Amino acid sequence: MSSEEFQDFDVFEEHTTDCANVNTGGEAEGVSTGDSGVASSEADNQEKNEAFAQANNDAGNQLNNAATDKAVPADLQLDQESGSAASSSQAPHPYMAQNKSFARRTRHMNESLEHTLEEHGKQYMIPVQPGIAPTAVAEDSKPISYRKIFQRKALVRVEIGSGVGTQIVAAAHSHPDRDYIAFEVYRPGLAKTIRKAEALGGLPNLKLIEADAQQALRLLLPEASVDEVWTFFPDPWRKTRHHKRRLIQEDFARDVAYVLRPGGLWRIATDWDDYAWSIRDVIESSAYFENPYTGVNPDPRDPEGDRGGFAPRWDNRVMTKFEHRGIEAGRTIHDIVGQRL
């Protein structure tokens, strides 16, 4: 989106909203079938993803633009140096230098998907001010206004890595009284999400953001404004040397905590055992979350024995082909829940 097109939209708050005060009663989302998050844990795609992500990170070393983090409460501030005017001999822009949790696929879209975006994109896509990279937003972005986007006040739930949209489309269709936002970097997946929504007659309670949530979440969403955040089957980055690329780590937990209301839930699922142990550690060691399932549902393969800490499978999570494949391959699906303190 060009800067001129961006100026045509007014979906941003001058100040943070009060959406955190919405009544939180009601049942969870309904279920459907199909594909889910873009970052699947399928081993056959892992090598390609790692190569693309390495190239993406290496490219950051060519850029030297300056940036400073958006101000956030001191207890949620990222541990990251502020940028300043840089010369070619100085460090790259912080976003380009950081490890990415995804490999952005630039697959060409077919004519049908291009048409879907062209015809219906403005109904679903939230315009963002472009940042240093195609997946980044401007560091001085203002938080969006839910009232302006959805034209009402309702519970807001967010999915990170929505893939082709099966989960979030099913939820938005089943619960028209709630509002949903998806973060996704895979453009064909966004087009397929829109196509699914339109096949149901349109979903005015569903909006999409084409951006890396690892950078954009805390910039675009108001503080304490989200009822639930979902991160289903993020890329496990199987090799030990690539574990630093995993999305769910301490820094990102602080960002999720920033946007969640007190008592709000962060729902996570993975089919990779050592990632499950790691996610549990992130949640239980965080100053911003508690694990409501601490000590229950132990896994016999857990290196910490009977420690447990895993939730039962969330009934309202869509059973996708990725989850089916994990089960068929003999992997255990672990659900982990973090509740905002």
Side-chain angles (χ1 to χ4, degrees):
M1 175 172 290
S2 69
S3 58
E4 291 183 359
E5 290 176 312
F6 176 79
Q7 294 300 328
D8 291 339
F9 292 84
D10 181 20
V11 297
F12 297 90
E13 279 283 26
E14 292 301 322
H15 304 285
T16 55
T17 68
D18 59 352
C19 292
N21 297 324
V22 179
N23 186 335
T24 59
E27 295 300 318
E29 282 62 24
V31 298
S32 179
T33 59
D35 297 342
S36 186
V38 62
S40 90
S41 59
E42 290 303 302
D44 56 355
N45 288 327
Q46 185 68 23
E47 294 294 338
K48 183 180 293 184
N49 282 354
E50 290 167 357
F52 275 125
Q54 183 65 55
N56 189 19
N57 284 318
D58 290 346
N61 294 326
Q62 306 299 318
L63 296 174
N64 303 289
N65 293 330
T68 54
D69 281 337
K70 175 185 169 83
V72 297
D75 65 333
L76 295 177
Q77 183 66 50
L78 289 178
D79 298 327
Q80 185 179 58
E81 293 180 359
S82 297
S84 59
S87 69
S88 60
S89 63
Q90 291 179 308
H93 185 286
Y95 176 74
M96 300 305 293
Q98 76 181 30
N99 291 305
K100 307 299 186 295
S101 64
F102 64 92
R104 190 168 191 257
R105 291 176 280 179
T106 55
R107 185 191 309 167
H108 177 70
M109 290 196 298
N110 62 37
E111 185 176 341
S112 175
L113 291 178
E114 291 281 7
H115 177 72
T116 296
L117 271 181
E118 182 178 346
E119 185 172 357
H120 302 291
K122 285 191 175 181
Q123 297 169 234
Y124 295 95
M125 300 295 295
I126 296 177
V128 296
Q129 189 174 352
I132 189 70
T135 57
V137 301
E139 292 287 331
D140 60 352
S141 296
K142 294 179 180 178
I144 61 177
S145 167
Y146 302 137
R147 285 183 181 274
K148 291 179 181 178
I149 291 172
F150 295 109
Q151 299 297 306
R152 65 177 183 176
K153 180 179 178 180
L155 287 176
V156 176
R157 295 187 171 179
V158 174
E159 184 173 15
I160 297 168
S162 54
V164 297
T166 305
Q167 173 72 49
I168 203 157
V169 168
H173 180 62
S174 298
H175 293 273
D177 57 320
R178 298 171 185 166
D179 292 330
Y180 297 86
I181 295 174
F183 282 83
E184 180 54 65
V185 297
Y186 182 46
R187 195 167 181 81
L190 292 166
K192 290 177 182 179
T193 300
I194 293 171
R195 189 164 64 184
K196 282 183 171 70
E198 284 300 297
L200 295 171
L203 295 173
N205 62 331
L206 172 63
K207 301 297 178 185
L208 312 175
I209 298 176
E210 184 180 9
D212 175 10
Q214 192 172 12
Q215 182 251 0
L217 188 72
R218 66 183 177 84
L219 296 174
L220 296 182
L221 302 189
E223 181 182 5
S225 65
V226 174
D227 180 54
E228 291 190 3
V229 173
W230 305 337
T231 312
F232 298 140
F233 301 97
D235 196 315
W237 294 101
R238 296 172 300 125
K239 296 180 180 179
T240 301
R241 70 175 183 272
H242 291 149
H243 285 183
K244 62 186 177 182
R245 302 189 191 281
R246 288 176 169 177
L247 175 64
I248 301 176
Q249 303 196 52
E250 181 182 356
D251 286 351
F252 190 64
R254 288 203 297 268
D255 290 344
V256 173
Y258 178 78
V259 303
L260 274 174
R261 65 170 178 82
L265 299 179
W266 186 9
R267 298 187 184 275
I268 307 164
T270 182
D271 63 347
W272 213 257
D273 283 350
D274 71 344
Y275 201 7
W277 322 144
S278 173
I279 293 169
R280 174 188 59 189
D281 290 345
V282 169
I283 295 299
E284 294 187 357
S285 65
S286 173
Y288 312 110
F289 289 99
E290 66 177 357
N291 182 352
Y293 297 95
T294 297
V296 302
N297 298 321
D299 186 322
R301 291 170 295 189
D302 188 344
E304 297 192 48
D306 294 332
R307 177 178 169 183
F310 302 107
R313 187 188 190 281
W314 187 40
D315 290 339
N316 298 290
R317 189 181 77 244
V318 172
M319 176 66 76
T320 69
K321 69 178 183 181
F322 297 116
E323 186 169 357
H324 275 297
R325 287 175 183 172
I327 293 171
E328 289 174 357
R331 295 194 292 272
T332 300
I333 311 301
H334 291 94
D335 282 67
I336 302 100
V337 175
Q339 185 166 30
R340 182 69 166 97
L341 295 171

